[in-house]
Amino acid sequence: MGQITLNQITKSFGDVQVIPPLDLQINDGEFVVFVGPSGCGKSTLLRLIAGLEDTTSGEINIDGRDATEVPPAKRGLAMVFQSYALYPHMSVRKNIAFPLRMAGLDKAAQDAKVEAAAKVLNLTDYLERRPGQLSGGQRQRVAIGRAIVREPAAFLFDEPLSNLDAALRVNMRLEISELHQSLETTMIYVTHDQVEAMTMADKIVVLQAGVIEQVGSPLDLYHTPKNKFVAGFIGSPKMNFLMGGYAAEFDATTIGVRPEHLSVSATEGKWQGKVGVSEHLGSDTFLYVDIEGLDEPLTVRSSGEVALRHGDIVHLTPDPEKIHRFDNQGLRMA
Amino acid sequence: MARSVTTRRKTINTAVAWAIGFLIFFPILWTILTSFKTEAQAINDPPLFLFFDWTLENYAVVQERSDYMRFLWNSVIIAGGSTVLGLMIAIPAAWSMAFVPSKRTKDILMWMLSTKMLPAVGVLYPIYLLFIQLGLLDTRTGLTIVMMLINLPIIVWMLYTYFKEIPGEILEAARMDGASLKEEILYILTPMAIPGIASTMLLNFILAWNEAFWTLNLTAAKAAPLTAFIASYSSPEGLFYAKLSAASTMAIAPILILGWFSQKQLVRGLTFGAVK
């Protein structure tokens, strides 16, 4: 079981309130991702759930039990840190066995569990090594191993992949997703990378300045962002925003169009512009088109075969079904 | 670009370093040499450097007159006991200052250090009276406690700097893994800080071993350590240089040997934080 409910949680450091009253429901077995720009309070929120920080007010409920005052060791949660936080003076075996040793398990039971975890994580050959002798990816796996042997109610991940190189990050992302599918345990994952959020999450929590902007499935957030912030944060490349006359035409203060919802034509279209930069990725081409009266170029996602170059005149047409309209508060209009 | 160092320059630097080293070591060397002379040779004018009749007579006389082993044992107990006791108090203290600092942590550290700036004689009278009241005068227990207290600020400071180097996340991981505060300090913090703790222990041991003010003032016969042993051979007339030197050599020999074998640890301990 791993149901976590946050009830009017707040956190202040001195006079600064980093998390204003916040409610959140995390269901058993869910993969929840907290995402937001740096300093948005997502790590603090995770540390509040872990018990590494005390809440200023409000209640944290884990599996129906009030855990607000319960010390981290007794919450039944396991955490994987950004820096891995392995014990450098212990072998991999001892690192993974540490939580079991603290729980008072006998040696044979410890060994059996460590071996089983090592097998799942491909660490069997490295059990006698020290963390200092492992690569970044292996260290991360040891940290995950240390978390899974506890059979926790929920796993907490604090930006676990940010210290890995790009290729390894994709691999570990898959491994964590697979782990979630096989264990079916609640996972809470903090990241600033919206791609990680979109690919891994059952439910994404978008945070800004300690406030939850929106909670929903990755596709919910993509298709119906509640406000401009979520619309701009989710999706890559970023959504284009147009204001002034361009928006007035649609009875809105701002309209948003995703790069993949703009069609390009050399001869006719709604908005005319000039190609600034074009990025050819093979599968896709990203065009940055300068339009008269707009401060920033519009990003367009086009097919890989598009042969447009710097200075070419193009015409862009948005898919009318896919235009997002926002009012003067930046909120989504029906 | 690296600064070019010529061979000549290197030779000069080495020579200067050796000269300074020799200058610092000279008094100790002279004491050791004098301990092998007769009393007459010890005060010979001009001084005799290496060419004299080497003799072990002084050592025999010193050993005959006073029980070296008893003083040595007192020194070991007082220096060792105060070090262990100090660490038991300083490790948790440094832990809390390094990992759960409050607004006043820096002030407390400064205040602790400031007690070292107080002239010891300023508190001799109250401590002497306390010792009489508590029956601690001339006891190893009393001296161990005083020695621990006067060195405690240094132990806490040193451990604090070592602990600051340990990432807090590792301790948080231990907490998440179910470790209690005691287990966190015992199984994670202490083993990780072993090099730091070792050099702190060593330095403290040496400081306590060499401390003379309190040992001379608070002991008479029973609990007197090696510093008192040396002092017993000094006389206002200064007639027994050779014997005094023999006693001094015997008193500093154990700590000199200990220091020699732990140079690396000591240097690391003394320069920690300054050089990274």
Side-chain angles (χ1 to χ4, degrees):
Chain A
M1 280 289 282
Q3 192 175 26
I4 299 168
T5 314
L6 308 184
N7 210 339
Q8 290 291 300
I9 284 292
T10 70
K11 176 67 185 173
S12 304
F13 291 109
D15 297 333
V16 186
Q17 192 175 50
V18 288
I19 298 192
L22 179 149
D23 291 304
L24 185 67
Q25 167 79 35
I26 294 162
N27 297 321
D28 184 34
E30 237 175 0
F31 198 123
V32 178
V33 175
F34 294 168
V35 70
S38 52
C40 71
K42 54 192 188 297
S43 282
T44 308
L45 193 56
L46 192 76
R47 292 169 60 83
L48 288 173
I49 296 173
L52 294 172
E53 301 279 355
D54 295 327
T55 52
T56 306
S57 69
E59 189 192 279
I60 297 174
N61 218 293
I62 300 174
D63 286 335
R65 195 167 59 108
D66 180 6
T68 320
E69 302 294 329
V70 178
K74 303 260 186 282
R75 291 193 183 192
L77 308 173
M79 186 148 164
V80 177
F81 292 84
Q82 183 175 5
S83 64
Y84 321 132
L86 301 179
Y87 311 127
H89 57 293
M90 294 184 194
S91 65
V92 168
R93 180 188 296 280
K94 286 193 169 160
N95 261 283
I96 299 179
F98 188 75
L100 304 172
R101 189 171 143 211
M102 291 300 105
L105 249 70
D106 64 69
K107 195 83 183 63
Q110 283 183 26
D111 277 342
K113 287 197 172 198
V114 171
E115 306 274 345
K119 211 172 151 193
V120 175
L121 296 162
N122 285 325
L123 286 169
T124 311
D125 295 340
Y126 305 100
L127 280 176
E128 306 313 322
R129 294 209 194 165
R130 294 276 177 94
Q133 299 165 298
L134 301 178
S135 70
Q138 287 165 340
R139 284 182 210 182
Q140 191 54 271
R141 280 208 285 271
V142 176
I144 293 172
R146 198 171 61 182
I148 58 179
V149 288
R150 293 192 62 193
E151 293 167 18
F155 289 94
L156 311 178
F157 292 93
D158 189 5
E159 307 220 17
L161 307 184
S162 53
N163 285 347
L164 302 177
D165 64 51
L168 206 52
R169 209 178 300 160
V170 176
N171 270 337
M172 285 302 294
R173 207 167 77 193
L174 284 172
E175 281 186 37
I176 293 175
S177 290
E178 275 168 18
L179 199 67
H180 177 242
Q181 263 149 32
S182 63
L183 296 175
E184 294 178 342
T185 309
T186 310
M187 290 189 178
I188 307 176
Y189 189 106
V190 163
T191 180
H192 61 267
D193 181 352
Q194 62 93 22
V195 177
E196 276 177 24
M198 292 294 282
T199 50
M200 301 169 91
D202 294 323
K203 184 153 102 183
I204 298 181
V205 178
V206 183
L207 286 149
Q208 190 194 14
V211 177
I212 295 181
E213 296 285 349
Q214 190 170 359
V215 179
S217 74
L219 290 182
D220 270 352
L221 265 52
Y222 177 81
H223 290 302
T224 49
K226 267 188 182 165
N227 54 38
K228 262 176 73 179
F229 177 78
V230 177
F233 198 81
I234 298 291
S236 172
K238 243 179 104 194
M239 183 185 277
N240 297 300
F241 291 110
L242 299 93
M243 287 179 284
Y246 294 97
E249 195 182 325
F250 295 90
D251 293 326
T253 311
T254 310
I255 56 164
V257 188
R258 294 200 184 275
E260 49 272 40
H261 299 146
L262 281 168
S263 57
V264 190
S265 159
T267 50
E268 56 178 359
K270 199 166 175 59
W271 302 319
Q272 190 192 330
K274 206 192 262 180
V275 176
V277 177
S278 57
E279 295 174 336
H280 298 276
L281 303 182
S283 57
D284 297 300
T285 304
F286 296 139
L287 302 171
Y288 298 88
V289 180
D290 294 307
I291 307 266
E292 212 179 285
L294 289 183
D295 296 337
E296 285 181 31
L298 291 187
T299 314
V300 183
R301 178 185 212 142
S302 196
S303 73
E305 280 76 37
V306 167
L308 290 166
R309 275 177 308 168
H310 177 79
D312 289 350
I313 301 289
V314 290
H315 296 83
L316 305 177
T317 314
D319 180 344
E321 302 285 302
K322 302 279 170 68
I323 290 177
H324 304 264
R325 299 187 308 134
F326 301 99
D327 64 16
N328 56 5
Q329 306 286 318
L331 297 177
R332 182 183 191 81
M333 295 165 71
Chain B
M1 214 179 84
R3 198 165 37 151
S4 60
V5 181
T6 61
T7 322
R8 217 189 87 165
R9 207 192 161 102
K10 253 190 197 163
T11 318
I12 294 174
N13 282 349
T14 312
V16 169
W18 274 98
I20 293 173
F22 184 74
L23 204 67
I24 294 170
F25 182 64
F26 187 75
I28 297 168
L29 179 67
W30 192 251
T31 306
I32 295 171
L33 287 175
T34 308
S35 73
F36 293 106
K37 297 174 186 170
T38 62
E39 290 296 349
Q41 285 167 336
I43 49 169
N44 199 54
D45 189 22
L48 299 163
F49 192 56
L50 283 174
F51 304 103
F52 53 84
D53 305 323
W54 290 67
T55 172
L56 287 171
E57 192 200 319
N58 299 314
Y59 288 93
V61 173
V62 166
Q63 184 56 33
E64 200 179 292
R65 242 197 252 167
S66 39
D67 183 1
Y68 172 74
M69 289 313 284
R70 188 171 55 86
F71 289 102
L72 176 74
W73 187 232
N74 281 340
S75 272
V76 169
I77 288 189
I78 293 165
S82 70
T83 304
V84 171
L85 205 63
L87 280 177
M88 280 163 61
I89 297 172
I91 290 178
W95 174 88
S96 75
M97 289 190 200
F99 298 111
V100 262
S102 72
K103 269 187 210 158
R104 299 259 169 267
T105 296
K106 288 266 170 208
D107 299 340
I108 292 173
L109 277 166
M110 273 321 288
W111 168 74
M112 282 179 60
L113 198 66
S114 72
T115 61
K116 293 294 290 177
M117 300 167 195
L118 182 81
V121 71
V123 285
L124 174 61
Y125 194 48
I127 288 190
Y128 196 86
L129 290 179
L130 273 173
F131 265 51
I132 292 176
Q133 292 285 317
L134 297 170
L136 287 173
L137 218 50
D138 199 19
T139 62
R140 291 191 290 227
T141 315
L143 219 51
T144 304
I145 293 171
V146 165
M147 222 40 82
M148 181 273 287
L149 287 174
I150 61 164
N151 285 332
L152 197 58
I154 293 176
I155 310 186
V156 173
W157 259 91
M158 281 181 75
L159 289 179
Y160 170 78
T161 9
Y162 287 118
F163 288 176
K164 280 294 250 189
E165 301 275 308
I166 292 172
E169 272 197 351
I170 292 181
L171 300 184
E172 288 179 346
R175 240 167 279 165
M176 291 299 295
D177 281 347
S180 65
L181 179 57
K182 200 183 92 195
E183 289 163 332
E184 177 187 324
I185 292 182
L186 210 58
Y187 296 131
I188 308 297
L189 181 68
T190 308
M192 281 183 75
I194 277 289
I197 292 174
S199 41
T200 310
M201 266 179 87
L202 240 120
L203 186 74
N204 189 65
F205 190 82
I206 293 172
L207 286 176
W209 186 279
N210 293 340
E211 210 289 324
F213 179 79
W214 293 103
T215 48
L216 292 182
N217 281 304
L218 297 176
T219 63
K222 277 185 288 167
L226 284 169
T227 41
F229 167 76
I230 303 177
S232 71
Y233 281 89
S234 83
S235 60
E237 296 82 18
L239 284 175
F240 306 107
Y241 278 133
K243 283 178 198 68
L244 176 61
S245 297
S248 300
T249 307
M250 286 165 89
I252 60 171
I255 209 77
L256 219 56
I257 294 165
L258 182 72
W260 180 268
F261 284 110
S262 52
Q263 291 183 48
K264 255 194 189 161
Q265 290 290 343
L266 272 177
V267 170
R268 189 177 132 76
L270 291 171
T271 58
F272 198 80
V275 186
K276 270 188 192 170

